[in-house]
Amino acid sequence: MIKFYFHTTPNPMKVALFLEETGMPYELVPVDPLKGEQHSAAYLAINPNGKVPAIEDNGVRVFDSNAILLYLSEKSGQLGSRPELRGELLSWMMFVATGLGPFSGQAVHFRHAAPEQIPYAINRYLREAQRHYEVLNTHLNNRDYIVGEDYSTADIAAWCWVSRVSRVLGEDALSEYPNIQRWFEHIAHRPAVTRAQKIGQNVDFKQELDDTALRAMYPQNYASPQANNNIIE
């Protein structure tokens, strides 16, 4: 059975949604980044980058959410694309992995988590997040799905980030991207989305972004020897 190292943030939710869509059996292993559990020696042996998600599959470790989606799609034969669309699928998967996701994350960070408000950084990452939404909105004109005519890992990867649009771009921002909004709402009605969103509801994940959480999430920002006091051995 697949061990799925999980948190409720967008990247782990991609894997949760894939697993619920396909019905692949898995064991949920919660990892709480705000408590620093991603820095434990045991977890770093699975993901040396110290991020969630990751999976273990019969001795095989896979980390990075889009790598996991591609691995599971190939393993299961589900939610991939036809051979002639493979390049298109990979392109949009990387669009999410290197653009939509990271720029959305940085837009949130500099608006909500940075210790000081830096107008240049706020504008830079907000505008880049908006630009990626514009690219996707244009692509989805007259399309039901991102790649071809079928729901795929590309939709899963993008949907889980777009689900946080209000925090990234502001309330009601999705109305400015009607093609994305139509696509998003269509996928939101899938039963697997409801099931995936319930995963981890009974787990007591830390919520407060206090000093302990900030040191766990951004240890590189702390120069003192106490920077990694919260790291679990």
Side-chain angles (χ1 to χ4, degrees), residues 157-212:
W159 192 92
C160 289
W161 273 107
V162 174
S163 71
R164 304 300 179 93
V165 64
S166 62
R167 188 147 175 84
V168 177
L169 301 183
E171 293 294 333
D172 300 320
L174 206 57
S175 63
E176 299 178 20
Y177 308 96
N179 296 323
I180 296 179
Q181 186 170 41
R182 169 185 49 78
W183 162 87
F184 179 83
E185 291 174 354
H186 176 63
I187 292 174
H189 287 95
R190 297 178 71 90
V193 170
T194 301
R195 295 195 300 271
Q197 290 175 329
K198 291 179 179 178
I199 294 173
Q201 286 187 343
N202 61 341
V203 178
D204 186 24
F205 286 117
K206 182 177 174 66
Q207 301 296 324
E208 185 181 1
L209 197 65
D210 56 15
D211 185 66
T212 297

Side-chain angles (χ1 to χ4, degrees), residues 100 103-104 107 125-133 168-169:
L100 181 65
F103 281 105
S104 294
Y125 289 107
L126 176 61
R127 285 297 300 125
E128 272 297 286
Q130 290 171 334
R131 188 183 69 79
H132 281 82
Y133 271 75
V168 177
L169 301 183

Side-chain angles (χ1 to χ4, degrees), residues 1-3 25-27 56-58:
M1 182 178 293
I2 293 167
K3 282 189 175 182
Y26 63 91
E27 174 189 350
E56 288 183 290
D57 180 22
N58 294 320

Side-chain angles (χ1 to χ4, degrees), residues 39 51 109 214-224 227-228:
H39 301 306
K51 304 285 186 180
H109 176 82
L214 289 172
R215 288 176 180 272
M217 291 290 290
Y218 315 114
Q220 64 274 20
N221 291 350
Y222 297 85
S224 70
N228 297 325

